[in-house]
Amino acid sequence: GQNIDQPTEMTATEGAIVQINCTYQTSGFNGLFWYQQHAGEAPTFLSYNVLDGLEEKGRFSSFLSRSKGYSYLLLKELQMKDSASYLCAVMDSNYQLIWGAGTKLIIKP
Amino acid sequence: IAGITQAPTSQILAAGRRMTLRCTQDMRHNAMYWYRQDLGLGLRLIHYSNTAGTTGKGEVPDGYSVSRANTDDFPLTLASAVPSQTSVYFCASSDGGTGELFFGEGSRLTVL
């Protein structure tokens, strides 16, 4: 079966750095996405990786290793507004998105 | 209208009743999707449409139907609601490029 694993919850301190991991087992691979979802709101797109390596976008970076079935989202200089759930999703061989359950990130002052 | 609009935002429904969740987009995206989101689970695809006039079944289609008469609208119908359909429903669209999805604000449905 297809599976996306990510931690259920993480806690970090304002101003610090946090890394949210995602491992996947899917039927084929056509890219990995990270979305941010604030409580009670819709998910919004953060990043897309299809090739191995690091993609940097401001305070957020996303890394992919296809051979290991592994990705991480790195958030730097954490702000209180970064408190949200972070969803990992993989596009499979049928171009359908398989979603992880999300990681709830709690930022403490 | 800007982006994707869903209606209603929230609804309480008696079991056995029929309900249609509306979804309209103004981005002229070809692909549209309906997901449900339940606590502790990832987003699960109910139905999708790659282009106007076509629809397909997702991971959890039972008890739901959709139609795609035009590019902009993609309603989701529960023919006879059951309590297990209590969930938050998200409509989304994609331009088919990178696969990035644009989501509506969600419809919170409670079936009693």
Side-chain angles (χ1 to χ4, degrees), chain B residues 38-106:
Chain B
D38 302 289
L39 196 63
L41 298 177
L43 288 162
R44 292 184 291 169
L45 183 64
I46 304 170
H47 284 287
Y48 66 92
S49 169
N50 288 328
T51 190
T54 69
T55 62
K57 294 182 179 180
E59 180 186 355
V60 289
D62 294 343
Y64 305 94
S65 64
V66 292
S67 62
R68 188 86 184 279
N70 56 62
T71 298
D72 298 344
D73 301 302
F74 191 44
L76 176 73
T77 297
L78 290 67
S80 179
V82 295
S84 62
Q85 292 177 311
T86 294
S87 187
V88 180
Y89 291 86
F90 286 102
C91 180
S93 71
S94 169
D95 65 3
T98 62
E100 176 187 350
L101 295 183
F102 297 83
F103 286 86
E105 290 303 308

Short mmCIF file of all heavy atoms in Angstrom, two decimals, chain B residues 38-106:
data_model
loop_
_atom_site.label_atom_id
_atom_site.label_comp_id
_atom_site.label_asym_id
_atom_site.label_seq_id
_atom_site.Cartn_x
_atom_site.Cartn_y
_atom_site.Cartn_z
N ASP B 38 -10.29 14.48 8.21
CA ASP B 38 -10.70 14.01 9.53
C ASP B 38 -9.50 13.99 10.45
O ASP B 38 -8.37 13.73 10.02
CB ASP B 38 -11.32 12.62 9.42
CG ASP B 38 -12.51 12.58 8.48
OD1 ASP B 38 -13.55 13.14 8.85
OD2 ASP B 38 -12.38 12.02 7.36
N LEU B 39 -9.74 14.22 11.72
CA LEU B 39 -8.68 14.32 12.71
C LEU B 39 -7.81 13.07 12.69
O LEU B 39 -8.33 11.94 12.74
CB LEU B 39 -9.30 14.52 14.09
CG LEU B 39 -8.36 15.01 15.19
CD1 LEU B 39 -7.82 16.38 14.85
CD2 LEU B 39 -9.08 15.03 16.55
N GLY B 40 -6.50 13.27 12.61
CA GLY B 40 -5.57 12.14 12.64
C GLY B 40 -5.37 11.44 11.31
O GLY B 40 -4.55 10.52 11.22
N LEU B 41 -6.10 11.88 10.30
CA LEU B 41 -5.96 11.26 8.97
C LEU B 41 -5.52 12.32 7.97
O LEU B 41 -5.80 13.51 8.15
CB LEU B 41 -7.28 10.66 8.52
CG LEU B 41 -7.86 9.54 9.38
CD1 LEU B 41 -9.22 9.11 8.82
CD2 LEU B 41 -6.92 8.36 9.43
N GLY B 42 -4.84 11.88 6.92
CA GLY B 42 -4.51 12.80 5.85
C GLY B 42 -5.75 13.15 5.04
O GLY B 42 -6.80 12.51 5.16
N LEU B 43 -5.62 14.16 4.22
CA LEU B 43 -6.69 14.48 3.28
C LEU B 43 -6.98 13.26 2.41
O LEU B 43 -6.06 12.62 1.89
CB LEU B 43 -6.28 15.65 2.38
CG LEU B 43 -6.23 17.02 3.07
CD1 LEU B 43 -5.41 17.99 2.24
CD2 LEU B 43 -7.65 17.54 3.25
N ARG B 44 -8.26 12.95 2.27
CA ARG B 44 -8.64 11.79 1.45
C ARG B 44 -9.50 12.26 0.27
O ARG B 44 -10.48 12.98 0.48
CB ARG B 44 -9.39 10.76 2.30
CG ARG B 44 -8.49 10.08 3.33
CD ARG B 44 -9.24 8.99 4.10
NE ARG B 44 -10.26 9.55 4.98
CZ ARG B 44 -11.18 8.82 5.59
NH1 ARG B 44 -11.23 7.51 5.40
NH2 ARG B 44 -12.06 9.40 6.39
N LEU B 45 -9.12 11.81 -0.90
CA LEU B 45 -9.79 12.23 -2.12
C LEU B 45 -11.11 11.49 -2.28
O LEU B 45 -11.16 10.26 -2.25
CB LEU B 45 -8.88 11.97 -3.32
CG LEU B 45 -9.39 12.41 -4.68
CD1 LEU B 45 -9.53 13.93 -4.73
CD2 LEU B 45 -8.45 11.93 -5.78
N ILE B 46 -12.19 12.25 -2.50
CA ILE B 46 -13.51 11.66 -2.67
C ILE B 46 -13.80 11.46 -4.16
O ILE B 46 -14.05 10.33 -4.62
CB ILE B 46 -14.59 12.56 -2.05
CG1 ILE B 46 -14.28 12.83 -0.57
CG2 ILE B 46 -15.97 11.92 -2.20
CD1 ILE B 46 -15.18 13.91 0.05
N HIS B 47 -13.78 12.55 -4.90
CA HIS B 47 -13.97 12.51 -6.35
C HIS B 47 -13.10 13.59 -6.97
O HIS B 47 -12.72 14.56 -6.31
CB HIS B 47 -15.44 12.78 -6.73
CG HIS B 47 -16.37 11.64 -6.50
ND1 HIS B 47 -16.38 10.51 -7.29
CD2 HIS B 47 -17.33 11.45 -5.56
CE1 HIS B 47 -17.32 9.68 -6.85
NE2 HIS B 47 -17.90 10.23 -5.80
N TYR B 48 -12.84 13.45 -8.24
CA TYR B 48 -12.07 14.47 -8.96
C TYR B 48 -12.64 14.62 -10.37
O TYR B 48 -13.42 13.79 -10.85
CB TYR B 48 -10.59 14.10 -9.00
CG TYR B 48 -10.29 12.85 -9.81
CD1 TYR B 48 -9.97 12.92 -11.16
CD2 TYR B 48 -10.34 11.59 -9.21
CE1 TYR B 48 -9.70 11.78 -11.88
CE2 TYR B 48 -10.07 10.45 -9.93
CZ TYR B 48 -9.76 10.54 -11.26
OH TYR B 48 -9.50 9.40 -11.99
N SER B 49 -12.19 15.71 -11.01
CA SER B 49 -12.58 15.95 -12.40
C SER B 49 -11.38 16.57 -13.10
O SER B 49 -10.88 17.62 -12.68
CB SER B 49 -13.78 16.90 -12.47
OG SER B 49 -13.99 17.34 -13.80
N ASN B 50 -10.89 15.93 -14.14
CA ASN B 50 -9.72 16.45 -14.86
C ASN B 50 -10.09 17.56 -15.83
O ASN B 50 -9.24 18.37 -16.21
CB ASN B 50 -9.01 15.32 -15.60
CG ASN B 50 -8.28 14.37 -14.65
OD1 ASN B 50 -7.79 14.79 -13.60
ND2 ASN B 50 -8.20 13.10 -15.00
N THR B 51 -11.36 17.57 -16.26
CA THR B 51 -11.81 18.61 -17.17
C THR B 51 -13.33 18.61 -17.17
O THR B 51 -13.96 17.62 -16.76
CB THR B 51 -11.25 18.39 -18.58
OG1 THR B 51 -11.52 19.54 -19.39
CG2 THR B 51 -11.85 17.17 -19.22
N ALA B 52 -13.93 19.69 -17.62
CA ALA B 52 -15.40 19.77 -17.67
C ALA B 52 -15.96 18.59 -18.45
O ALA B 52 -15.46 18.23 -19.51
CB ALA B 52 -15.83 21.09 -18.29
N GLY B 53 -17.02 17.99 -17.89
CA GLY B 53 -17.68 16.87 -18.54
C GLY B 53 -17.17 15.50 -18.12
O GLY B 53 -17.77 14.49 -18.48
N THR B 54 -16.09 15.45 -17.33
CA THR B 54 -15.54 14.18 -16.87
C THR B 54 -15.39 14.19 -15.36
O THR B 54 -15.09 15.23 -14.76
CB THR B 54 -14.17 13.87 -17.50
OG1 THR B 54 -13.21 14.79 -16.97
CG2 THR B 54 -14.22 14.00 -19.00
N THR B 55 -15.60 13.03 -14.73
CA THR B 55 -15.38 12.88 -13.30
C THR B 55 -14.76 11.52 -13.04
O THR B 55 -14.85 10.61 -13.87
CB THR B 55 -16.67 13.01 -12.49
OG1 THR B 55 -17.57 11.96 -12.86
CG2 THR B 55 -17.33 14.35 -12.69
N GLY B 56 -14.13 11.38 -11.87
CA GLY B 56 -13.53 10.11 -11.50
C GLY B 56 -13.64 9.88 -10.01
O GLY B 56 -13.83 10.83 -9.23
N LYS B 57 -13.53 8.62 -9.60
CA LYS B 57 -13.63 8.27 -8.19
C LYS B 57 -12.25 8.34 -7.54
O LYS B 57 -11.26 7.91 -8.11
CB LYS B 57 -14.21 6.87 -8.04
CG LYS B 57 -15.64 6.74 -8.49
CD LYS B 57 -16.17 5.33 -8.27
CE LYS B 57 -17.62 5.21 -8.72
NZ LYS B 57 -18.15 3.85 -8.51
N GLY B 58 -12.24 8.84 -6.31
CA GLY B 58 -11.02 8.88 -5.53
C GLY B 58 -10.93 7.72 -4.59
O GLY B 58 -11.45 6.63 -4.85
N GLU B 59 -10.32 7.97 -3.45
CA GLU B 59 -10.07 6.93 -2.45
C GLU B 59 -11.34 6.53 -1.69
O GLU B 59 -11.52 5.37 -1.33
CB GLU B 59 -9.01 7.43 -1.47
CG GLU B 59 -8.62 6.49 -0.37
CD GLU B 59 -7.66 7.13 0.63
OE1 GLU B 59 -7.23 8.29 0.41
OE2 GLU B 59 -7.35 6.49 1.65
N VAL B 60 -12.22 7.50 -1.41
CA VAL B 60 -13.40 7.26 -0.58
C VAL B 60 -14.66 7.80 -1.24
O VAL B 60 -15.32 8.71 -0.73
CB VAL B 60 -13.23 7.85 0.84
CG1 VAL B 60 -12.22 7.06 1.64
CG2 VAL B 60 -12.82 9.32 0.77
N PRO B 61 -15.10 7.25 -2.37
CA PRO B 61 -16.22 7.82 -3.12
C PRO B 61 -17.61 7.40 -2.66
O PRO B 61 -18.60 8.05 -3.02
CB PRO B 61 -15.96 7.29 -4.54
CG PRO B 61 -15.34 5.94 -4.29
CD PRO B 61 -14.47 6.12 -3.08
N ASP B 62 -17.70 6.31 -1.87
CA ASP B 62 -19.02 5.75 -1.55
C ASP B 62 -19.87 6.74 -0.75
O ASP B 62 -19.42 7.29 0.25
CB ASP B 62 -18.86 4.44 -0.77
CG ASP B 62 -18.23 3.35 -1.61
OD1 ASP B 62 -18.21 3.50 -2.85
OD2 ASP B 62 -17.76 2.35 -1.04
N GLY B 63 -21.12 6.90 -1.20
CA GLY B 63 -22.05 7.81 -0.52
C GLY B 63 -22.01 9.23 -1.07
O GLY B 63 -22.79 10.07 -0.62
N TYR B 64 -21.12 9.46 -2.04
CA TYR B 64 -20.96 10.80 -2.61
C TYR B 64 -21.09 10.73 -4.14
O TYR B 64 -20.72 9.74 -4.74
CB TYR B 64 -19.59 11.38 -2.30
CG TYR B 64 -19.20 11.43 -0.86
CD1 TYR B 64 -18.46 10.40 -0.28
CD2 TYR B 64 -19.55 12.51 -0.06
CE1 TYR B 64 -18.08 10.45 1.05
CE2 TYR B 64 -19.17 12.58 1.27
CZ TYR B 64 -18.44 11.54 1.82
OH TYR B 64 -18.06 11.59 3.14
N SER B 65 -21.58 11.83 -4.72
CA SER B 65 -21.58 11.96 -6.18
C SER B 65 -21.20 13.39 -6.54
O SER B 65 -21.35 14.31 -5.74
CB SER B 65 -22.95 11.60 -6.77
OG SER B 65 -23.93 12.50 -6.32
N VAL B 66 -20.67 13.55 -7.76
CA VAL B 66 -20.28 14.86 -8.25
C VAL B 66 -20.73 15.02 -9.69
O VAL B 66 -21.07 14.04 -10.36
CB VAL B 66 -18.74 15.07 -8.18
CG1 VAL B 66 -18.25 15.14 -6.75
CG2 VAL B 66 -18.01 13.98 -8.95
N SER B 67 -20.71 16.26 -10.15
CA SER B 67 -20.96 16.56 -11.55
C SER B 67 -20.05 17.70 -11.95
O SER B 67 -19.60 18.48 -11.11
CB SER B 67 -22.43 16.92 -11.78
OG SER B 67 -22.76 18.09 -11.05
N ARG B 68 -19.76 17.80 -13.26
CA ARG B 68 -18.90 18.89 -13.75
C ARG B 68 -19.47 19.35 -15.09
O ARG B 68 -18.97 19.02 -16.16
CB ARG B 68 -17.46 18.38 -13.91
CG ARG B 68 -16.46 19.48 -14.24
CD ARG B 68 -15.94 20.17 -13.04
NE ARG B 68 -15.06 21.29 -13.35
CZ ARG B 68 -13.76 21.17 -13.68
NH1 ARG B 68 -13.20 19.97 -13.75
NH2 ARG B 68 -13.05 22.24 -13.93
N ALA B 69 -20.53 20.14 -14.97
CA ALA B 69 -21.22 20.61 -16.18
C ALA B 69 -20.43 21.70 -16.89
O ALA B 69 -20.58 21.88 -18.11
CB ALA B 69 -22.60 21.11 -15.81
N ASN B 70 -19.60 22.43 -16.15
CA ASN B 70 -18.79 23.50 -16.75
C ASN B 70 -17.46 23.60 -16.00
O ASN B 70 -17.24 22.88 -15.02
CB ASN B 70 -19.55 24.83 -16.72
CG ASN B 70 -19.97 25.20 -15.33
OD1 ASN B 70 -19.13 25.39 -14.45
ND2 ASN B 70 -21.27 25.30 -15.08
N THR B 71 -16.59 24.47 -16.46
CA THR B 71 -15.25 24.56 -15.87
C THR B 71 -15.28 25.07 -14.45
O THR B 71 -14.48 24.66 -13.61
CB THR B 71 -14.37 25.49 -16.73
OG1 THR B 71 -14.24 24.92 -18.03
CG2 THR B 71 -12.98 25.67 -16.13
N ASP B 72 -16.21 25.96 -14.13
CA ASP B 72 -16.16 26.69 -12.87
C ASP B 72 -16.76 25.95 -11.68
O ASP B 72 -16.36 26.17 -10.55
CB ASP B 72 -16.88 28.03 -13.01
CG ASP B 72 -16.22 28.93 -14.05
OD1 ASP B 72 -15.05 28.66 -14.42
OD2 ASP B 72 -16.87 29.89 -14.48
N ASP B 73 -17.75 25.11 -11.91
CA ASP B 73 -18.53 24.55 -10.80
C ASP B 73 -18.32 23.05 -10.62
O ASP B 73 -18.30 22.30 -11.60
CB ASP B 73 -20.02 24.82 -11.03
CG ASP B 73 -20.32 26.30 -11.14
OD1 ASP B 73 -19.99 27.03 -10.18
OD2 ASP B 73 -20.84 26.73 -12.17
N PHE B 74 -18.23 22.62 -9.37
CA PHE B 74 -17.99 21.21 -9.07
C PHE B 74 -18.71 20.85 -7.78
O PHE B 74 -18.09 20.74 -6.72
CB PHE B 74 -16.48 20.96 -8.96
CG PHE B 74 -16.08 19.51 -8.93
CD1 PHE B 74 -16.65 18.58 -9.79
CD2 PHE B 74 -15.09 19.07 -8.05
CE1 PHE B 74 -16.25 17.26 -9.77
CE2 PHE B 74 -14.69 17.74 -8.01
CZ PHE B 74 -15.28 16.83 -8.88
N PRO B 75 -20.03 20.66 -7.81
CA PRO B 75 -20.78 20.37 -6.59
C PRO B 75 -20.61 18.91 -6.14
O PRO B 75 -20.46 18.01 -6.97
CB PRO B 75 -22.22 20.64 -7.00
CG PRO B 75 -22.24 20.42 -8.48
CD PRO B 75 -20.90 20.84 -8.98
N LEU B 76 -20.64 18.73 -4.83
CA LEU B 76 -20.57 17.41 -4.21
C LEU B 76 -21.89 17.13 -3.51
O LEU B 76 -22.34 17.94 -2.70
CB LEU B 76 -19.43 17.38 -3.18
CG LEU B 76 -19.27 16.10 -2.37
CD1 LEU B 76 -18.68 14.98 -3.24
CD2 LEU B 76 -18.38 16.33 -1.15
N THR B 77 -22.50 16.00 -3.81
CA THR B 77 -23.81 15.65 -3.25
C THR B 77 -23.72 14.41 -2.37
O THR B 77 -23.11 13.40 -2.78
CB THR B 77 -24.84 15.43 -4.35
OG1 THR B 77 -25.03 16.65 -5.07
CG2 THR B 77 -26.19 15.00 -3.77
N LEU B 78 -24.31 14.51 -1.19
CA LEU B 78 -24.51 13.36 -0.31
C LEU B 78 -25.97 12.97 -0.47
O LEU B 78 -26.86 13.73 -0.06
CB LEU B 78 -24.20 13.71 1.14
CG LEU B 78 -22.75 13.96 1.54
CD1 LEU B 78 -22.17 15.22 0.91
CD2 LEU B 78 -22.63 14.02 3.06
N ALA B 79 -26.25 11.83 -1.06
CA ALA B 79 -27.63 11.47 -1.38
C ALA B 79 -28.45 11.20 -0.12
O ALA B 79 -29.61 11.60 -0.01
CB ALA B 79 -27.66 10.26 -2.30
N SER B 80 -27.84 10.55 0.85
CA SER B 80 -28.52 10.21 2.10
C SER B 80 -27.44 10.21 3.20
O SER B 80 -26.76 9.21 3.38
CB SER B 80 -29.20 8.85 1.99
OG SER B 80 -29.84 8.51 3.21
N ALA B 81 -27.33 11.33 3.88
CA ALA B 81 -26.19 11.52 4.80
C ALA B 81 -26.21 10.53 5.96
O ALA B 81 -27.28 10.17 6.48
CB ALA B 81 -26.21 12.95 5.33
N VAL B 82 -25.01 10.11 6.36
CA VAL B 82 -24.83 9.24 7.52
C VAL B 82 -23.82 9.88 8.47
O VAL B 82 -23.00 10.71 8.03
CB VAL B 82 -24.34 7.83 7.11
CG1 VAL B 82 -25.41 7.12 6.28
CG2 VAL B 82 -23.04 7.91 6.34
N PRO B 83 -23.87 9.55 9.77
CA PRO B 83 -22.98 10.20 10.73
C PRO B 83 -21.49 10.09 10.38
O PRO B 83 -20.71 11.00 10.70
CB PRO B 83 -23.31 9.49 12.05
CG PRO B 83 -24.75 9.13 11.90
CD PRO B 83 -24.91 8.73 10.46
N SER B 84 -21.09 9.01 9.72
CA SER B 84 -19.67 8.85 9.36
C SER B 84 -19.22 9.85 8.30
O SER B 84 -18.01 9.97 8.02
CB SER B 84 -19.40 7.43 8.86
OG SER B 84 -20.15 7.16 7.69
N GLN B 85 -20.15 10.58 7.73
CA GLN B 85 -19.81 11.62 6.78
C GLN B 85 -19.59 12.97 7.46
O GLN B 85 -19.33 13.98 6.78
CB GLN B 85 -20.87 11.73 5.68
CG GLN B 85 -20.89 10.52 4.77
CD GLN B 85 -21.98 10.57 3.72
OE1 GLN B 85 -23.15 10.85 4.04
NE2 GLN B 85 -21.63 10.28 2.48
N THR B 86 -19.66 13.00 8.76
CA THR B 86 -19.27 14.18 9.52
C THR B 86 -17.79 14.44 9.30
O THR B 86 -16.96 13.57 9.58
CB THR B 86 -19.55 13.98 11.02
OG1 THR B 86 -20.96 13.89 11.21
CG2 THR B 86 -18.99 15.13 11.85
N SER B 87 -17.46 15.62 8.77
CA SER B 87 -16.08 15.89 8.39
C SER B 87 -15.96 17.35 7.93
O SER B 87 -16.95 18.07 7.86
CB SER B 87 -15.68 14.96 7.24
OG SER B 87 -14.30 15.06 6.94
N VAL B 88 -14.75 17.74 7.62
CA VAL B 88 -14.52 19.01 6.93
C VAL B 88 -14.20 18.67 5.48
O VAL B 88 -13.31 17.85 5.20
CB VAL B 88 -13.36 19.80 7.56
CG1 VAL B 88 -13.16 21.11 6.79
CG2 VAL B 88 -13.63 20.09 9.03
N TYR B 89 -14.93 19.30 4.58
CA TYR B 89 -14.80 19.02 3.16
C TYR B 89 -14.10 20.19 2.47
O TYR B 89 -14.49 21.34 2.63
CB TYR B 89 -16.17 18.79 2.54
CG TYR B 89 -16.80 17.51 3.01
CD1 TYR B 89 -17.56 17.47 4.19
CD2 TYR B 89 -16.63 16.33 2.31
CE1 TYR B 89 -18.12 16.29 4.65
CE2 TYR B 89 -17.19 15.14 2.75
CZ TYR B 89 -17.93 15.13 3.92
OH TYR B 89 -18.48 13.96 4.37
N PHE B 90 -13.06 19.86 1.71
CA PHE B 90 -12.33 20.87 0.97
C PHE B 90 -12.45 20.62 -0.52
O PHE B 90 -12.22 19.50 -0.99
CB PHE B 90 -10.84 20.88 1.35
CG PHE B 90 -10.54 21.47 2.69
CD1 PHE B 90 -10.29 20.66 3.78
CD2 PHE B 90 -10.52 22.84 2.85
CE1 PHE B 90 -10.01 21.21 5.03
CE2 PHE B 90 -10.23 23.41 4.09
CZ PHE B 90 -9.99 22.59 5.18
N CYS B 91 -12.78 21.68 -1.24
CA CYS B 91 -12.73 21.66 -2.68
C CYS B 91 -11.40 22.27 -3.10
O CYS B 91 -10.90 23.20 -2.44
CB CYS B 91 -13.90 22.47 -3.25
SG CYS B 91 -13.97 22.54 -5.04
N ALA B 92 -10.80 21.77 -4.17
CA ALA B 92 -9.52 22.29 -4.63
C ALA B 92 -9.48 22.27 -6.15
O ALA B 92 -10.22 21.52 -6.80
CB ALA B 92 -8.36 21.47 -4.06
N SER B 93 -8.60 23.07 -6.71
CA SER B 93 -8.41 23.07 -8.16
C SER B 93 -6.92 23.12 -8.48
O SER B 93 -6.10 23.47 -7.63
CB SER B 93 -9.14 24.24 -8.81
OG SER B 93 -8.48 25.47 -8.51
N SER B 94 -6.61 22.76 -9.72
CA SER B 94 -5.22 22.74 -10.17
C SER B 94 -5.17 23.11 -11.64
O SER B 94 -6.06 22.73 -12.41
CB SER B 94 -4.62 21.35 -9.96
OG SER B 94 -3.38 21.23 -10.60
N ASP B 95 -4.09 23.83 -12.02
CA ASP B 95 -3.95 24.16 -13.43
C ASP B 95 -3.23 23.06 -14.21
O ASP B 95 -3.00 23.20 -15.40
CB ASP B 95 -3.22 25.50 -13.61
CG ASP B 95 -1.77 25.43 -13.10
OD1 ASP B 95 -1.32 24.35 -12.67
OD2 ASP B 95 -1.11 26.48 -13.13
N GLY B 96 -2.87 21.98 -13.49
CA GLY B 96 -2.26 20.84 -14.17
C GLY B 96 -0.78 20.99 -14.46
O GLY B 96 -0.19 20.15 -15.11
N GLY B 97 -0.17 22.08 -13.99
CA GLY B 97 1.25 22.30 -14.23
C GLY B 97 2.08 21.46 -13.28
O GLY B 97 2.32 20.28 -13.49
N THR B 98 2.51 22.08 -12.17
CA THR B 98 3.28 21.36 -11.16
C THR B 98 2.40 20.47 -10.31
O THR B 98 2.89 19.62 -9.58
CB THR B 98 4.00 22.33 -10.22
OG1 THR B 98 3.02 23.11 -9.51
CG2 THR B 98 4.94 23.23 -10.99
N GLY B 99 1.11 20.68 -10.39
CA GLY B 99 0.20 19.92 -9.55
C GLY B 99 -0.18 20.64 -8.29
O GLY B 99 -0.89 20.10 -7.45
N GLU B 100 0.30 21.89 -8.13
CA GLU B 100 -0.07 22.67 -6.96
C GLU B 100 -1.58 22.81 -6.89
O GLU B 100 -2.24 23.11 -7.88
CB GLU B 100 0.56 24.06 -7.02
CG GLU B 100 0.16 24.97 -5.88
CD GLU B 100 0.67 26.39 -6.06
OE1 GLU B 100 1.49 26.62 -6.97
OE2 GLU B 100 0.24 27.27 -5.28
N LEU B 101 -2.12 22.57 -5.70
CA LEU B 101 -3.55 22.68 -5.48
C LEU B 101 -3.89 24.01 -4.80
O LEU B 101 -3.16 24.47 -3.93
CB LEU B 101 -4.06 21.54 -4.59
CG LEU B 101 -3.96 20.14 -5.15
CD1 LEU B 101 -4.56 19.14 -4.17
CD2 LEU B 101 -4.66 20.02 -6.49
N PHE B 102 -5.02 24.57 -5.20
CA PHE B 102 -5.57 25.76 -4.57
C PHE B 102 -6.86 25.32 -3.89
O PHE B 102 -7.75 24.76 -4.55
CB PHE B 102 -5.85 26.84 -5.61
CG PHE B 102 -4.61 27.33 -6.30
CD1 PHE B 102 -4.07 26.64 -7.37
CD2 PHE B 102 -3.97 28.48 -5.87
CE1 PHE B 102 -2.92 27.08 -8.00
CE2 PHE B 102 -2.81 28.94 -6.50
CZ PHE B 102 -2.29 28.23 -7.56
N PHE B 103 -6.96 25.57 -2.59
CA PHE B 103 -8.08 25.07 -1.81
C PHE B 103 -9.10 26.15 -1.50
O PHE B 103 -8.76 27.34 -1.32
CB PHE B 103 -7.58 24.51 -0.47
CG PHE B 103 -6.87 23.19 -0.58
CD1 PHE B 103 -5.52 23.13 -0.87
CD2 PHE B 103 -7.57 22.00 -0.39
CE1 PHE B 103 -4.86 21.91 -0.97
CE2 PHE B 103 -6.92 20.78 -0.48
CZ PHE B 103 -5.58 20.73 -0.77
N GLY B 104 -10.37 25.73 -1.41
CA GLY B 104 -11.39 26.58 -0.83
C GLY B 104 -11.25 26.58 0.68
O GLY B 104 -10.43 25.85 1.25
N GLU B 105 -12.07 27.38 1.35
CA GLU B 105 -11.96 27.56 2.80
C GLU B 105 -12.55 26.40 3.59
O GLU B 105 -12.41 26.33 4.80
CB GLU B 105 -12.61 28.86 3.22
CG GLU B 105 -11.83 30.10 2.77
CD GLU B 105 -10.40 30.07 3.30
OE1 GLU B 105 -10.21 29.88 4.52
OE2 GLU B 105 -9.46 30.24 2.50
N GLY B 106 -13.23 25.49 2.92
CA GLY B 106 -13.75 24.30 3.60
C GLY B 106 -15.20 24.44 4.00
O GLY B 106 -15.71 25.54 4.23
#
